[in-house]
């Protein structure tokens, strides 16, 4: 796991308010852990701030941050 992925995981844990000791699989559906449309936007804002990037309006949907894998892809695409 690289530094960027570690930071992404940290933000996900904070937004979902789950302990960092809980392992999240790359393809695990984050909605099962409490991700909803409101904290989805919070997560995107935190990602934008942490990585000094801007997520395009057409990629603000829950489907772009529903797994760790998708979040990493989103960040990579927006950098």
């Amino acid at each position: 796991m690289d530094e960027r992925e570690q930071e992404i995981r940290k933000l996900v844990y904070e937004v979902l308010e789950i302990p960092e000791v809980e392992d999240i699989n790359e393809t695990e559906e984050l909605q099962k852990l409490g991700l909803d449309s409101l904290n989805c936007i919070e997560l995107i804002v935190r990602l934008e701030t942490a990585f000094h990037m801007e997520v395009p309006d057409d990629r603000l949907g829950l489907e772009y941050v529903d797994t760790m894998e998708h979040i990493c892809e989103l960040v990579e695409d927006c950098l």
Side-chain angles (χ1 to χ4, degrees):
M1 181 181 331
D2 66 13
E3 196 173 307
R4 181 178 299 144
E5 186 176 343
Q6 287 177 340
E7 180 65 22
I8 291 169
R9 283 183 175 277
K10 180 180 174 231
L11 293 172
V12 169
Y13 289 127
E14 288 174 3
V15 169
L16 296 181
E17 298 178 355
I18 56 176
E20 288 189 41
V21 294
E22 187 173 324
D23 188 33
I24 298 176
N25 184 300
E26 290 291 314
T27 58
E28 185 172 355
E29 293 180 13
L30 297 177
Q31 287 129 317
K32 292 180 180 177
L33 297 174
L35 184 69
D36 60 24
S37 58
L38 290 177
N39 55 19
C40 163
I41 297 301
E42 179 184 352
L43 176 59
I44 290 172
V45 169
R46 287 185 185 214
L47 291 167
E48 288 179 325
T49 301
F51 295 106
H52 309 287
M53 60 176 212
E54 186 172 334
V55 176
D57 290 345
D58 65 339
R59 296 194 66 191
L60 292 177
L62 196 56
E63 67 270 20
Y64 296 104
V65 293
D66 60 346
T67 66
M68 289 300 297
E69 182 178 49
H70 288 156
I71 295 169
C72 291
E73 288 172 5
L74 177 67
V75 170
E76 198 64 37
D77 291 348
C78 292
L79 289 176

